[in-house]
Amino acid sequence: AQSVTQLGSHVSVSEGALVLLRCNYSSSVPPYLFWYVQYPNQGLQLLLKYTSAATLVKGINGFEAEFKKSETSFHLTKPSAHMSDAAEYFCAVSEGYQKVTFGIGTKLQVIP
Amino acid sequence: GAGVSQSPSNKVTEKGKDVELRCDPISGHTALYWYRQSLGQGLEFLIYFQGNSAPDKSGLPSDRFSAERTGGSVSTLTIQRTQQEDSAVYLCASSLSEGDTDTQYFGPGTRLTVL
């Protein structure tokens, strides 16, 4: 069965600092992996997805994530945080067949 | 439409009442999903439609929950005899269903409060 663990339900960074949101997955087959962002009072928006092509995936708004099979990780990073990055971020895994399992989310706070 | 829409945006109901939540997917999207987002619980998968059929209903929490989709478009999630633990944001998503890596596009959700 597929599952996702997001380490840290709340993360705070200073504006301009590195953003690192951690995600570890469990899957019985090569997975597809996603990061979604949810801004306050809005629906989820896809940031990026890994589909077994390049292990380093670049997404929107300067975010990227690296698939590391040996560590079963798919951490999300951004070199320099912006105030507008404050949101909740969800990591998700799929083994195909349309069923996606989401993590519990990480709320990112950006401090001026 | 431009995106997935859901109605109502907010619903307050009394315990024991039935509620219907509506989802209008992106035009042309054949796959439709319902999730529940509870405080501190992340997103919980409820049900998935491919066209009008639901191959995966495994996430429905009880027989008080049901969903249907007509015309391969609009979907309705019905909760009968609502309980306080049903209070959550109910999210709908749709996708083109072109393959396993299909991107799901989410609506803004319906916030359900059961008093």
Side-chain angles (χ1 to χ4, degrees):
Chain A
Q2 58 194 34
S3 67
V4 167
T5 302
Q6 289 186 243
L7 300 175
S9 58
H10 290 80
V11 170
S12 293
V13 300
S14 298
E15 190 175 13
L18 171 72
V19 176
L20 171 60
L21 304 182
R22 298 178 186 274
C23 172
N24 287 89
Y25 70 90
S26 173
S27 175
S28 57
V29 300
Y32 304 111
L33 295 159
F34 309 81
W35 275 100
Y36 282 84
V37 60
Q38 186 177 32
Y39 298 102
N41 300 314
Q42 295 186 27
L44 275 73
Q45 177 183 3
L46 181 69
L47 269 180
L48 50 80
K49 64 180 178 182
Y50 167 75
T51 59
S52 76
T55 56
L56 182 62
V57 182
K58 294 187 183 298
I60 61 172
N61 302 336
F63 284 92
E64 62 182 36
E66 186 172 9
F67 172 69
K68 292 187 177 181
K69 183 179 178 180
S70 61
E71 299 177 8
T72 61
S73 70
F74 191 58
H75 301 331
L76 182 71
T77 61
K78 180 174 180 177
S80 176
H82 192 274
M83 295 299 295
S84 61
D85 294 328
E88 190 162 16
Y89 293 80
F90 293 88
C91 182
V93 62
S94 173
E95 294 179 348
Y97 307 104
Q98 307 299 333
K99 185 169 181 177
V100 179
T101 300
F102 287 82
I104 63 170
T106 298
K107 287 188 177 178
L108 176 65
Q109 179 186 22
V110 181
I111 303 168
Chain B
V4 178
S5 61
Q6 293 185 245
S7 60
S9 56
N10 280 282
K11 177 71 176 179
V12 180
T13 190
E14 294 179 348
K15 178 181 173 181
K17 301 280 190 183
D18 297 352
V19 294
E20 284 190 353
L21 311 181
R22 177 187 168 104
C23 172
D24 282 90
I26 293 172
S27 178
H29 281 194
T30 59
L32 185 146
Y33 313 78
W34 283 99
Y35 295 89
R36 179 166 69 176
Q37 185 176 22
S38 305
L39 195 62
Q41 298 294 318
L43 271 74
E44 175 188 3
F45 169 82
L46 298 178
I47 188 170
Y48 150 63
F49 286 92
Q50 181 60 44
N52 291 335
S53 63
D56 190 346
K57 302 180 182 180
S58 61
L60 293 177
S62 76
D63 60 6
R64 295 187 295 105
F65 287 72
S66 63
E68 65 174 13
R69 189 179 185 194
T70 55
S73 180
V74 173
S75 176
T76 302
L77 177 69
T78 301
I79 309 173
Q80 295 178 310
R81 305 180 302 283
T82 53
Q83 303 295 312
Q84 288 183 331
E85 60 263 29
D86 298 335
S87 296
V89 176
Y90 289 82
L91 292 170
C92 175
S94 69
S95 68
L96 276 170
S97 188
E98 288 182 335
D100 292 343
T101 62
D102 215 18
T103 297
Q104 296 184 22
Y105 296 85
F106 283 80
T110 293
R111 183 175 297 278
L112 175 65
T113 303
V114 182
L115 302 177

